[in-house]
Amino acid sequence: MLALLLACTSSLADGFTPSRTPPRRILGRRATATAAPPAVVTEVTAAQVFGRLADKKLLLDVPGAGTPEMKDCCHGGCDNCDYSRVFDEMNAGKAKWVACYVEREHSDGRRHESPVRDLFGGDERLGVAEFVARLGEVDPRPAMGARPA
């Protein structure tokens, strides 16, 4: 999914190719006079797209999510507990997850809105050009690697 987003959101939206290898020719595709050369998305560009979409919190859609039983579970691996190795919420110190939902609410009232919601606003659908424009307006946050000094 992330590779698809990169391919659609790059200012050079021809495809995703790691920057350490030369672009490969697609078999069965002929170059034409109007076709642009294939674009290369670098790791920097990929990290910037990830930084715009990633979040520190993720609510999972698992059986029993938001129930008092799951919330009260210590998740310590007890043999008699149905939720000992099941989590319904993930939290991190840095943004490292891209939510596949716009918003999610558990039955206990916990709610999360993903950063993607800001891109869509009130729109149900966006065209590629509009999505790229809105994504470009979001400031990239460093989400991976060491914290800036």
Side-chain angles (χ1 to χ4, degrees):
M1 181 174 131
L2 185 57
L4 178 61
L5 280 172
L6 291 172
C8 292
T9 59
S10 169
S11 59
L12 308 169
D14 282 342
F16 178 81
T17 305
S19 65
R20 291 191 178 100
T21 59
R24 290 180 275 183
R25 184 165 176 80
I26 299 171
L27 297 175
R29 186 173 172 190
R30 295 182 179 185
T32 63
T34 59
V40 176
V41 177
T42 65
E43 284 87 3
V44 173
T45 307
Q48 288 175 346
V49 170
F50 182 80
R52 287 177 169 107
L53 299 176
D55 200 5
K56 295 179 181 182
K57 185 174 184 175
L58 190 65
L59 290 182
L60 304 175
D61 187 21
V62 295
T67 61
E69 294 85 11
M70 181 173 278
K71 190 169 181 168
D72 293 339
C73 179
C74 69
H75 301 284
C78 306
D79 290 336
N80 62 346
C81 180
D82 293 333
Y83 305 108
S84 63
R85 292 178 182 84
V86 179
F87 299 91
D88 63 353
E89 181 177 344
M90 304 293 274
N91 290 297
K94 287 183 165 186
K96 63 172 156 181
W97 294 294
V98 176
C100 294
Y101 56 82
V102 175
E103 67 179 76
R104 179 167 287 162
E105 185 172 356
H106 284 318
S107 59
D108 62 358
R110 286 178 292 155
R111 178 185 170 103
H112 180 249
E113 295 175 358
S114 72
V116 177
R117 181 180 181 146
D118 297 335
L119 292 176
F120 284 90
D123 298 331
E124 284 280 325
R125 296 178 182 213
L126 293 177
V128 173
E130 191 172 0
F131 182 78
V132 170
R134 288 185 185 185
L135 186 64
E137 293 172 1
V138 177
D139 292 329
R141 299 174 312 243
M144 299 178 275
R147 292 185 183 199

